[in-house]
Amino acid sequence: MTENPQDQQPQQPVYGQQPGAPTPPYGPASPQYSGAQPPYQPVMMSPADQRTWAIWAHLSAFLAAIVALSFLGPLIIYVIFKDRGAFVRHHSAEALNFQLTMWIGLLISFPLMLVLVGFLTAAIIAVSMLVFQIFGAVAASDGRDYHYPLTIHFVS
């Protein structure tokens, strides 16, 4: 049997489709999204990877200090890796809290520079940042928890 163009019925447009727009050639349109997808489940990291990223959480403040925002490194690591392991979450939160606390100290030191006391406090803060970040990185490389002294806990 040969097909005659007059025997074919014109395809009706799919609901919501503009007249004259091409219709799906191989059957009905795919079903629309009807329900919620399962929530994103982060992949847990191995202990060695957690230890590596915990070290980077402490030392990333040195790299971020190049643009004068030393809290950016720990913040980025915290946001990306906080759900992938408790060890890296703890160390990145500690490093972030320490950096934020030191920034508050530096902001207080700047007006005090008018009476020359601020130079001393800023120098003490800078040296303590250097020393305690190294202590934190060493503790993370040994697999130990580390708590910075005199730190306000903004993030847990």
Side-chain angles (χ1 to χ4, degrees):
M1 175 168 165
T2 62
E3 292 187 24
N4 194 349
Q6 294 152 350
D7 292 338
Q8 292 181 351
Q9 294 179 350
Q11 293 181 341
Q12 295 296 324
V14 179
Y15 178 74
Q17 188 176 16
Q18 296 292 331
T23 57
Y26 301 108
S30 61
Q32 296 296 319
Y33 179 71
S34 61
Q37 290 182 332
Y40 169 73
Q41 296 295 324
V43 177
M44 298 306 288
M45 294 190 310
S46 68
D49 288 340
Q50 287 189 47
R51 187 176 300 141
T52 301
W53 282 107
I55 293 168
W56 275 109
H58 294 287
L59 296 180
S60 64
F62 292 126
L63 296 175
I66 294 170
V67 293
L69 296 173
S70 61
F71 63 89
L72 276 182
L75 175 65
I76 291 170
I77 292 174
Y78 178 79
V79 168
I80 293 173
F81 295 111
K82 68 179 178 180
D83 296 329
R84 297 188 61 191
F87 187 75
V88 71
R89 179 187 179 102
H90 167 76
H91 279 275
S92 60
E94 283 292 323
L96 179 59
N97 287 330
F98 178 69
Q99 292 300 320
L100 292 175
T101 303
M102 294 299 106
W103 266 96
I104 291 171
L106 288 173
L107 290 175
I108 293 170
S109 295
F110 288 133
L112 290 176
M113 287 180 182
L114 296 173
V115 290
L116 302 178
V117 175
F119 291 107
L120 178 65
T121 59
I124 291 171
I125 289 171
V127 169
S128 67
M129 287 173 75
L130 177 69
V131 170
F132 290 130
Q133 287 169 3
I134 292 171
F135 285 167
V138 169
S141 70
D142 291 341
R144 295 181 286 122
D145 285 346
Y146 183 74
H147 298 283
Y148 286 98
L150 303 172
T151 302
I152 302 169
H153 291 280
F154 297 105
V155 180
S156 58

